[in-house]
Amino acid sequence: MSRKRTSKVRKQASGPRTVNLRASSGRVMWCRTKAGTWRAAKWLVFLAVLGVGVVIGKSTLQKVFLDSEEFALKRVELWQWEGEEMPRLVDHARLAEVTGLDPRASIFAFQLGEVENQLAALPEVKRVRATRRLPDVLRIRVEEREPVAWVESPRQRIIGRNYDHGMLVDADGYCFQPSRAMMEVVNDLPVITTGDRGKDDFVSGQKVKGREFLRALELVKLSKRYLAEAGWSLPAIGLRNDFSLMAKTHTGTVVTFGLYEHERQLEDLLLILDHARKTSRGVERVNLIPERNIPVVFAHAGGNLEAPGSPLESSLEAILTRS
């Protein structure tokens, strides 16, 4: 007869058995604290030595590079982006004004990238590259925007050929304000006036968007190519209406251009002016928009193409007489 079980047997859960070997006696805890304190002390000593080394190294660099007369900045070279010519718009005075470079400082006392960014922020500058020439030369190459005309906008109180209230425009239509450093370069550039039309907002560092103004700018560039060799120029050009421009030659001839076909119109103007010169006559006004039978009024010959004394014509005359 089988015996009846009177006790329960617990089965252990399957899996690896773990034994806690982490002792927690007083002596063991003291040893651990001592070891941790020693490691901390070693790190503190290392950091202290490192700090002293940094201070000594900084002081040494200060004496070797920043305070040494050998590396004192003795010459700042300003060059155009390509070639060995001076920039036309940025001179040493403008450089010092914009960057605040100390001419008595060490060549290592400034960051090249900061100098480049300060100059590149000028609207008249496209890009800049600054390099050190040890031991004492800073070389800066500048690519500038080439101004081709003054802007005049009565609505914005922008005055052509005025360094305090003027605005210049380059061949791509970007505007920037003049400085005294530019005087010899830009003083005799032609002036484009908006007259009483005033549709454009001229902002330094931004490109003009107005169609009529950009067509006048194109006329300025073409007139230099076509007229300069013959001794003629268009120092003043104005926006007449939606389809035409008005200009005055340096001799005072009033010329009406269309917005397009400027090459053909300039060639016609050369023929007319050459004919007038050969016949010892002056041209008072001419309308170049027609391709044939071009209306021309010779001086003292009577007749009118447009009532003299119009506001735009008066503005162009004022530009011619402006110093």
Side-chain angles (χ1 to χ4, degrees), residues 88-104:
R88 304 178 68 199
L89 307 181
V90 180
D91 60 5
H92 286 83
R94 180 75 162 154
L95 171 67
E97 175 188 352
V98 172
T99 64
L101 278 176
D102 184 357
R104 298 166 297 180

Side-chain angles (χ1 to χ4, degrees), residues 230-300:
W232 297 91
S233 64
L234 298 178
I237 299 174
L239 312 187
R240 184 168 175 263
N241 50 40
D242 290 339
F243 58 86
S244 67
L245 307 170
M246 179 182 286
K248 271 202 171 188
T249 68
H250 66 285
T251 58
T253 300
V254 179
V255 186
T256 300
F257 290 88
L259 293 186
Y260 301 95
E261 299 184 343
H262 290 157
E263 293 90 342
R264 189 265 303 169
Q265 294 171 15
L266 287 168
E267 290 175 353
D268 289 342
L269 178 61
L270 277 175
L271 291 174
I272 293 169
L273 295 176
D274 186 61
H275 173 74
R277 179 184 294 169
K278 290 178 179 179
T279 57
S280 301
R281 291 186 294 177
V283 179
E284 183 175 320
R285 56 186 63 239
V286 56
N287 187 338
L288 298 171
I289 296 178
E291 294 188 29
R292 299 177 180 275
N293 301 320
I294 297 174
V296 180
V297 175
F298 292 98
H300 310 297

Side-chain angles (χ1 to χ4, degrees), residues 110-275:
F110 49 84
Q111 298 293 328
L112 294 180
E114 184 177 353
V115 172
E116 291 175 345
N117 292 336
Q118 289 171 329
L119 287 174
L122 295 175
E124 64 267 29
V125 174
K126 289 184 178 181
R127 53 180 174 170
V128 182
R129 183 172 66 245
T131 55
R132 293 185 179 94
R133 300 289 178 177
L134 297 178
D136 53 15
V137 177
L138 172 63
R139 175 173 293 178
I140 300 176
R141 289 195 175 274
V142 180
E143 183 178 7
E144 302 171 299
R145 296 191 182 279
E146 183 178 354
V148 295
W150 289 88
V151 175
E152 181 156 305
S153 174
R155 183 173 64 87
Q156 288 187 245
R157 298 181 181 179
I158 298 174
I159 305 172
R161 294 178 182 166
N162 185 297
Y163 290 90
D164 297 321
H165 305 285
M167 188 83 72
L168 294 164
V169 61
D170 75 348
D172 297 320
Y174 284 90
C175 295
F176 53 93
Q177 294 176 328
S179 68
R180 296 291 174 179
M182 309 176 187
M183 184 179 297
E184 295 183 2
V185 178
V186 304
N187 200 47
D188 295 327
L189 290 178
V191 179
I192 302 175
T193 177
T194 61
D196 58 0
R197 296 180 62 75
K199 292 182 179 180
D200 290 298
D201 288 322
F202 300 96
V203 180
S204 183
Q206 296 185 13
K207 185 175 181 178
V208 183
K209 298 180 181 179
R211 178 180 65 113
E212 292 87 353
F213 186 90
L214 292 176
R215 294 311 304 165
L217 182 61
E218 188 66 21
L219 177 59
V220 167
K221 294 185 287 185
L222 288 172
S223 65
K224 183 177 181 180
R225 187 204 312 171
Y226 278 81
L227 302 181
E229 291 186 3
W232 297 91
S233 64
L234 298 178
I237 299 174
L239 312 187
R240 184 168 175 263
N241 50 40
D242 290 339
F243 58 86
S244 67
L245 307 170
M246 179 182 286
K248 271 202 171 188
T249 68
H250 66 285
T251 58
T253 300
V254 179
V255 186
T256 300
F257 290 88
L259 293 186
Y260 301 95
E261 299 184 343
H262 290 157
E263 293 90 342
R264 189 265 303 169
Q265 294 171 15
L266 287 168
E267 290 175 353
D268 289 342
L269 178 61
L270 277 175
L271 291 174
I272 293 169
L273 295 176
D274 186 61
H275 173 74

